[in-house]
């Protein structure tokens, strides 16, 4: 039977609860334990697919095609868990299922209420993950902040779990903020109030994880233990790291958080067997400070941080693990490049250029000029999704002289709709909706893509609706654009390469979703290699 860890947070949002949960999962895997990860999200949306990336960060796509919160990406990068749609429980999913049950008469005419119907559905989904995965430990991150009205059903479900499960089968970890005020003094009062709110919801934390800019002294830890009603050896610090979030597993292990969890849950493992070698090796490479590689990532100004999180992390994995290099990521606003004269100065000193997936027309001309600059100046280039489609549009405009060449995502009445919906193209069935999840991709021999993968077929994740119209294939080939991959299912074009170029590759799929710190994606590794060379 699985044991459960509930991770809550208080005081304010964005304390890093997702990274903390993923780190705990990674440390428990280091003991040889089988784990599962769940994110409980309090928003009423069924999934993250329609939420603005400016509000919510990137949409992480799972293998089975679920559009989820970016925390699921952290779960995947830090652990070996195979993330699916079941690992993301939104309150929208829960209400949707309860209403369907009510309409089907499954509640025998009873009044449908938050308790027990909503909380029972939440618990059912959590326990189902434990049963399906046969995990030793299931880590449940409860999104939002204690005190938020949206989180109440999840907290109530957690309270019920605490009373239903044996004492040593569930552990509650509360992440809170210890602010530093003028003069450098640490203040415990916000955390005290946060724990009080959690207690009012019926949950007493077993472990207190305190987010702070600096180290927390023993006196402060004792004070927190006293006022928050936790054991004095169950107060831990999550202080700032210097270079990357991948230092956190080492930090947590030194703090002894994993040992405290093993003790509380009475897990059948020896604390001395903990293995954090992959994190130690990664951080050692990072600290060695090898040669610097400068990558320009061009996107929309508002979205340049969390929206492209997986792309940034994938570049980082490839630079550090594959080459021991320092990644210097230069974030550039595409709209700022719409003035042609600004292009050379913006890319001065860069070793490579990346255009990740983008939606909407804003910044389109700046992105297009970036592609042209990379092609004409022989700068290593990696395009993802729209970044790949732009290679075809730029070839059509610059080399074929089709000034109106465009995507139907932006212009409906273009004479040369290089990119369009599958149903608009001869020979392709109607897609009906966005393409999501893993598909098999066939790679052409003697291409840069084949050289990167060393395979002729690969499985990659997709999140796209528009695709290249194959009727323009011959025109592209005649102007130096190699069509280097296609889907196995319906032969849609999946990759472009510039034939007379150092390294210019664009892919329709999203390789960033499967990159790991210790196992960088081969496409990012090949790109970084070209940049270094």
């Amino acid at each position: 039977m699985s044991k459960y860890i509930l991770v809550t947070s208080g005081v304010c949002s964005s304390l890093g609860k997702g990274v903390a949960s993923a780190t705990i999962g990674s440390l428990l895997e280091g003991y040889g334990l089988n784990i599962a990860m769940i994110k409980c999200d309090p928003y009423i949306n069924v999934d993250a697919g329609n939420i603005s990336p400016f509000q919510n960060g990137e949409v992480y796509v799972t293998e089975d095609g679920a559009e989820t919160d970016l925390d699921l990406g952290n779960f995947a990068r830090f652990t070996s868990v195979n993330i699916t749609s079941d690992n993301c429980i939104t309150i929208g999913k829960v209400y949707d299922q309860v209403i369907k049950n009510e309409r089907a008469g499954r509640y025998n005419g009873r009044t449908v209420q938050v308790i027990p119907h909503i909380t029972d559905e939440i618990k059912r989904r959590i326990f189902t993950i434990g049963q399906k995965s046969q995990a030793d430990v299931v880590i449940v991150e409860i999104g939002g902040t204690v005190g938020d009205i949206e989180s109440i059903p999840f907290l109530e479900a957690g309270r019920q779990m605490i009373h239903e499960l044996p004492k040593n089968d569930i552990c509650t970890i509360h992440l809170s903020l210890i602010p530093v005020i003028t003069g450098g003094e640490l203040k415990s009062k916000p955390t005290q109030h946060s724990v009080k709110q959690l207690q009012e919801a019926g949950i007493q934390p077993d472990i207190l994880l305190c987010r702070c800019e600096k180290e927390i002294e023993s006196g402060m830890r004792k004070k927190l233990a006293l006022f928050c009603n936790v054991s004095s050896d169950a107060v831990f610090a999550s202080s700032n790291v210097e270079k990357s979030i991948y230092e956190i597993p080492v930090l947590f292990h030194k703090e002894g958080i994993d040992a405290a969890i093993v003790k509380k849950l009475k897990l059948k493992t020896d604390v001395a067997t903990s293995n954090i070698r992959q994190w130690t090796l990664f951080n050692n490479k990072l600290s060695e400070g090898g040669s610097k590689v400068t990558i320009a990532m061009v996107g929309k100004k508002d979205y340049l941080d969390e929206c492209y999180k997986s792309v940034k992390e994938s570049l980082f994995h490839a630079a550090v693990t594959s080459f021991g290099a320092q990644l210097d990521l230069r974030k550039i606003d595409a709209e700022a490049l719409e003035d042609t004269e600004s292009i050379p100065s913006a890319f001065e000193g860069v070793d490579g250029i990346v255009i990740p997936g983008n939606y909407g027309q804003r910044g389109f001309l700046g992105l297009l000029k970036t592609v042209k600059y990379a092609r004409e100046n022989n700068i290593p280039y990696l395009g993802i999704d729209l970044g790949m489609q732009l290679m075809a549009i730029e070839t059509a405009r610059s080399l074929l002289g089709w000034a109106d060449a465009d995507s139907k995502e932006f212009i409906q009445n273009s004479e040369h709709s290089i990119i369009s919906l599958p149903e608009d193209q001869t020979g392709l069935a109607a897609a009906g909706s966005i393409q999501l999840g893993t598909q098999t991709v066939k790679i052409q021999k003697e291409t840069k893509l084949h050289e990167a993968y060393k395979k002729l077929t690969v499985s990659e994740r997709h999140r796209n609706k528009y695709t290249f119209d194959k009727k323009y294939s011959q025109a592209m080939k005649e102007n130096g654009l190699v069509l280097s991959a296609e889907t196995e299912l319906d032969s849609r074009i999946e990759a472009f390469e510039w034939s007379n170029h150092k390294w210019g590759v664009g892919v329709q799929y999203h390789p960033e979703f499967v990159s790991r710190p210790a196992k960088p994606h081969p496409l990012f590794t090949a790109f970084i290699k070209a940049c270094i060379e």
Side-chain angles (χ1 to χ4, degrees):
M1 181 178 174
S2 299
K3 295 176 184 279
Y4 293 83
I5 296 174
L6 303 180
V7 183
T8 62
S9 70
V11 181
C12 67
S13 59
S14 300
L15 292 181
K17 183 162 73 259
V19 172
S21 301
T23 297
I24 290 165
S26 172
L27 291 174
L28 293 180
E29 281 191 332
Y31 289 98
L33 296 167
N34 178 27
I35 70 156
M37 304 287 301
I38 298 174
K39 172 70 184 286
C40 292
D41 247 318
Y43 53 70
I44 300 175
N45 305 64
V46 172
D47 58 38
N50 292 329
I51 302 178
S52 165
F54 181 62
Q55 277 198 340
N56 208 56
E58 78 168 4
V59 174
Y60 179 81
V61 179
T62 63
E63 193 172 278
D64 61 345
E67 296 174 292
T68 70
D69 181 82
L70 60 82
D71 276 346
L72 280 290
N74 285 322
F75 295 170
R77 283 185 286 273
F78 276 79
T79 72
S80 60
V81 175
N82 180 32
I83 303 296
T84 69
S85 59
D86 291 340
N87 297 90
C88 182
I89 304 174
T90 69
I91 203 67
K93 279 184 181 179
V94 172
Y95 272 94
D96 182 53
Q97 186 59 55
V98 169
I99 290 169
K100 285 177 180 175
N101 291 344
E102 186 274 332
R103 293 289 85 189
R106 292 178 187 146
Y107 298 127
N108 298 321
R110 292 192 297 272
T111 303
V112 179
Q113 298 175 294
V114 174
I115 302 171
H117 301 101
I118 296 298
T119 51
D120 281 353
E121 178 62 20
I122 292 170
K123 290 188 294 180
R124 184 191 70 78
R125 287 172 179 263
I126 291 173
F127 289 137
T128 297
I129 286 287
Q131 292 162 2
K132 280 185 178 180
S133 65
Q134 293 294 298
D136 298 306
V137 181
V138 179
I139 300 168
V140 184
E141 178 199 344
I142 298 178
T145 307
V146 171
D148 294 345
I149 191 170
E150 295 93 342
S151 300
I152 291 174
F154 287 119
L155 293 173
E156 171 57 23
R159 183 195 69 80
Q160 293 176 22
M161 288 173 63
I162 291 169
H163 289 281
E164 291 170 9
L165 294 171
K167 181 180 178 181
N168 295 116
D169 280 4
I170 189 163
C171 172
T172 303
I173 300 173
H174 187 62
L175 176 65
S176 187
L177 177 67
I178 304 294
V180 181
I181 63 171
T182 304
E185 183 184 0
L186 305 185
K187 303 301 290 185
S188 67
K189 195 64 70 178
T191 291
Q192 292 179 41
H193 285 298
S194 174
V195 172
K196 182 181 178 182
Q197 283 187 305
L198 188 63
Q199 290 168 336
E200 288 173 355
I203 298 174
Q204 168 61 48
D206 299 301
I207 292 173
L208 204 56
L209 182 55
C210 302
R211 184 76 180 86
C212 191
E213 293 178 9
K214 60 182 186 179
E215 182 59 41
I216 300 174
E217 300 295 336
S218 60
M220 173 61 79
R221 296 189 191 219
K222 289 178 181 177
K223 180 179 179 180
L224 287 163
L226 177 64
F227 284 97
C228 296
N229 197 32
V230 299
S231 172
S232 59
D233 60 357
V235 179
F236 300 99
S238 177
S239 52
N240 287 0
V241 291
E242 294 181 6
K243 295 183 177 179
S244 86
I245 57 174
Y246 303 117
E247 297 173 50
I248 297 176
V250 177
L251 172 66
F252 279 18
H253 180 66
K254 286 180 180 178
E255 281 279 314
I257 295 170
D258 48 343
I261 293 169
V262 168
K263 180 181 177 181
K264 169 64 174 71
L265 294 177
K266 292 189 176 180
L267 294 167
K268 295 178 181 178
T269 186
D270 183 358
V271 173
T273 63
S274 177
N275 181 4
I276 59 168
R277 187 171 178 269
Q278 67 163 323
W279 303 114
T280 303
L281 288 174
F282 186 88
N283 289 310
N284 286 344
K285 284 187 176 183
L286 186 59
S287 298
E288 287 168 4
S291 59
K292 185 171 77 171
V293 56
T294 302
I295 306 297
M297 185 170 71
V298 186
K300 299 187 180 183
K301 179 175 64 175
D302 295 336
Y303 299 169
L304 283 169
D305 289 313
E306 294 299 280
C307 178
Y308 305 131
K309 186 175 180 62
S310 288
V311 175
K312 293 191 297 181
E313 294 301 315
S314 298
L315 291 166
F316 188 51
H317 302 161
V320 175
T321 300
S322 300
F323 303 101
Q326 300 179 65
L327 178 66
D328 176 20
L329 192 62
R330 186 184 300 179
K331 295 178 286 186
I332 298 175
D333 175 17
E335 285 184 284
L337 301 176
E338 294 189 352
D339 173 12
T340 308
E341 295 179 1
S342 67
I343 295 280
S345 59
F347 295 113
E348 185 177 354
V350 303
D351 301 305
I353 297 172
V354 173
I355 294 183
N358 284 270
Y359 292 91
Q361 195 169 12
R362 185 161 63 87
F364 172 77
L365 291 178
L367 294 172
L368 197 63
K369 289 175 180 178
T370 297
V371 174
K372 183 177 182 179
Y373 185 82
R375 178 180 60 81
E376 292 182 341
N377 291 275
N378 207 25
I379 299 173
Y381 171 83
L382 174 61
I384 298 170
D385 201 343
L386 179 61
M388 169 260 197
Q389 296 171 359
L390 286 164
M391 294 174 74
I393 296 172
E394 192 276 327
T395 297
R397 288 193 181 191
S398 300
L399 303 180
L400 286 161
W402 299 343
D404 68 332
D406 218 309
S407 168
K408 275 199 172 181
E409 181 181 359
F410 311 131
I411 302 294
Q412 289 294 315
N413 56 356
S414 168
E415 185 180 341
H416 298 96
S417 294
I418 307 299
I419 308 297
S420 59
L421 292 168
E423 52 262 45
D424 294 333
Q425 301 174 22
T426 303
L428 284 178
S433 62
I434 190 170
Q435 298 297 301
L436 290 166
T438 298
Q439 293 186 38
T440 300
V441 177
K442 296 190 299 182
I443 298 172
Q444 299 294 326
K445 291 182 179 179
E446 298 179 0
T447 59
K448 292 181 175 68
L449 212 58
H450 182 225
E451 185 181 339
Y453 282 103
K454 306 291 190 295
K455 296 177 181 178
L456 290 175
T457 58
V458 294
S459 294
E460 291 286 359
R461 295 183 198 178
H462 292 67
R463 187 180 186 240
N464 67 285
K465 195 169 186 178
Y466 293 84
T467 187
F468 173 72
D469 191 335
K470 291 181 73 174
K471 74 181 182 182
Y472 297 108
S473 296
Q474 190 58 37
M476 295 296 143
K477 291 176 185 177
E478 291 173 357
N479 285 272
L481 198 63
V482 178
L483 284 58
S484 56
E486 59 183 33
T487 56
E488 184 177 66
L489 181 65
D490 52 18
S491 300
R492 296 182 192 180
I493 300 302
E494 286 286 294
F496 294 135
E497 298 179 10
W498 288 318
S499 58
N500 299 314
H501 193 274
K502 184 183 296 179
W503 203 93
V505 175
V507 293
Q508 183 65 75
Y509 50 83
H510 290 262
E512 68 270 23
F513 292 142
V514 293
S515 182
R516 304 289 183 273
K519 191 178 180 182
H521 191 284
L523 194 57
F524 285 96
T525 296
F527 171 65
I528 293 294
K529 180 182 178 183
C531 295
I532 290 173
E533 290 176 349

